């Protein structure tokens, strides 16, 4: 494997840059001017650099995989809290994960819905920020994007901005025509314009 290949390369590298230098003594040392094994030292340094880079890269990969796994588990816990009527619990789970600035559509949709259900003083502002952050997710699925636009429309209605709500809700319906909530909210928004 790798060790045998490294050993073969090591053996193929001359002990000195000057192959015509004095012969080594019984301890493998050369007399002054003999090169002192510079090529082998260079090879050893290069091998250490490559191995160090591989270990460093593997550390980042593992750290990233652990963070993704923690986020996925946190999203499941937050969704479960929300489905059981505990909006504050869902917000707490997401806050523990420091997900407020994370461009993850699923986490931000849960955060926005939980904020609206919590009925806190700044709920619509928290929800609106969550929607905008979620829409920045480059991997957002069409159904998640439609859900975020529907939430944005709902927030617009709560803030008294029917025209803005209509724009967001039309976007939600265009993306996912089967989104019943978006259709209902769109009807409410049109009624408020009259």
């Amino acid at each position: 494997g790798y060790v045998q290949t490294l050993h073969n390369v090591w053996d193929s590298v001359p002990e000195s840059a000057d192959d015509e230098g004095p012969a080594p003594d019984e301890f493998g040392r050369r007399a002054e001017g003999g090169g002192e094994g510079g090529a082998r030292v260079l090879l050893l340094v290069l091998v250490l650099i490559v191995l160090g880079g591989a270990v460093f890269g593997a550390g980042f990969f593992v750290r990233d995989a652990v963070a993704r796994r923690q986020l996925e588990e946190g999203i499941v816990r937050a969704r479960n809290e929300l489905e059981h009527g505990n909006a504050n619990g869902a917000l707490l789970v997401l806050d523990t994960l420091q997900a407020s600035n994370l461009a993850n559509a699923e986490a931000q949709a849960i955060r926005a819905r939980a904020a609206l259900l919590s009925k806190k003083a700044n709920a619509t502002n928290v929800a609106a920020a969550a929607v905008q952050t979620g829409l920045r997710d480059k991997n957002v699925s069409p159904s998640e994007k439609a859900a975020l636009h529907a939430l944005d429309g709902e927030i617009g209605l709560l803030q008294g901005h029917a025209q803005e709500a209509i724009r967001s809700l039309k976007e939600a319906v265009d993306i996912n025509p089967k989104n019943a909530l978006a259709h209902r909210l769109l009807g409410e928004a049109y009624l408020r314009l009259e």
Side-chain angles (χ1 to χ4, degrees), residues 58-74 77 97:
F60 273 118
F61 176 77
V62 169
R63 189 192 76 200
D64 190 46
V66 168
R68 273 195 312 271
R69 175 72 179 196
Q70 287 174 336
L71 177 63
E72 290 168 6
E73 290 172 354
R77 284 193 308 273
L97 294 171

Side-chain angles (χ1 to χ4, degrees), residues 47-125:
V47 166
L48 289 174
I49 290 171
V50 169
L51 288 176
V55 169
F56 189 71
F60 273 118
F61 176 77
V62 169
R63 189 192 76 200
D64 190 46
V66 168
R68 273 195 312 271
R69 175 72 179 196
Q70 287 174 336
L71 177 63
E72 290 168 6
E73 290 172 354
I75 288 172
V76 168
R77 284 193 308 273
R79 187 182 314 111
N80 189 39
E81 292 290 335
L82 191 59
E83 288 172 355
H84 287 89
N86 187 0
N88 290 327
L91 288 171
L92 183 62
V93 168
L94 293 173
D95 286 345
T96 302
L97 294 171
Q98 298 175 342
S100 61
N101 295 321
L102 187 62
N104 180 291
E106 188 176 9
Q108 297 303 337
I110 293 169
R111 184 176 183 73
R113 174 61 57 207
L116 292 176
L117 292 174
S118 74
K119 304 211 185 275
K120 292 183 178 180
N122 64 345
T124 55
N125 293 336

Side-chain angles (χ1 to χ4, degrees), residues 11-176:
D11 287 343
S12 71
V13 174
E15 285 189 37
S16 73
D18 181 10
D19 285 334
E20 296 177 11
D25 64 11
E26 65 272 13
F27 299 109
R29 295 178 297 200
R30 295 184 181 268
E32 289 258 342
E36 301 294 325
R40 282 194 171 184
V41 169
L42 180 61
L43 176 64
L44 181 61
V45 168
L46 290 174
V47 166
L48 289 174
I49 290 171
V50 169
L51 288 176
V55 169
F56 189 71
F60 273 118
F61 176 77
V62 169
R63 189 192 76 200
D64 190 46
V66 168
R68 273 195 312 271
R69 175 72 179 196
Q70 287 174 336
L71 177 63
E72 290 168 6
E73 290 172 354
I75 288 172
V76 168
R77 284 193 308 273
R79 187 182 314 111
N80 189 39
E81 292 290 335
L82 191 59
E83 288 172 355
H84 287 89
N86 187 0
N88 290 327
L91 288 171
L92 183 62
V93 168
L94 293 173
D95 286 345
T96 302
L97 294 171
Q98 298 175 342
S100 61
N101 295 321
L102 187 62
N104 180 291
E106 188 176 9
Q108 297 303 337
I110 293 169
R111 184 176 183 73
R113 174 61 57 207
L116 292 176
L117 292 174
S118 74
K119 304 211 185 275
K120 292 183 178 180
N122 64 345
T124 55
N125 293 336
V126 170
V131 167
Q132 294 311 310
T133 303
L135 288 171
R136 289 195 323 253
D137 184 352
K138 290 178 177 47
N139 300 316
V140 62
S141 71
S143 64
E144 289 172 332
K145 190 172 185 177
L148 286 166
H149 281 293
L151 279 164
D152 196 36
E154 185 175 353
I155 293 163
L157 285 173
L158 290 171
Q159 293 175 331
H161 306 294
Q163 199 64 38
E164 291 174 20
I166 289 171
R167 272 194 298 275
S168 293
L169 292 165
K170 278 184 175 181
E171 183 76 22
V173 169
D174 287 346
I175 295 170
N176 184 1

Side-chain angles (χ1 to χ4, degrees), residues 154 156-162 186-194:
E154 185 175 353
L157 285 173
L158 290 171
Q159 293 175 331
H161 306 294
L186 186 57
E188 284 182 33
Y190 279 124
L191 283 174
R192 288 191 189 181
L193 283 181
E194 294 177 1

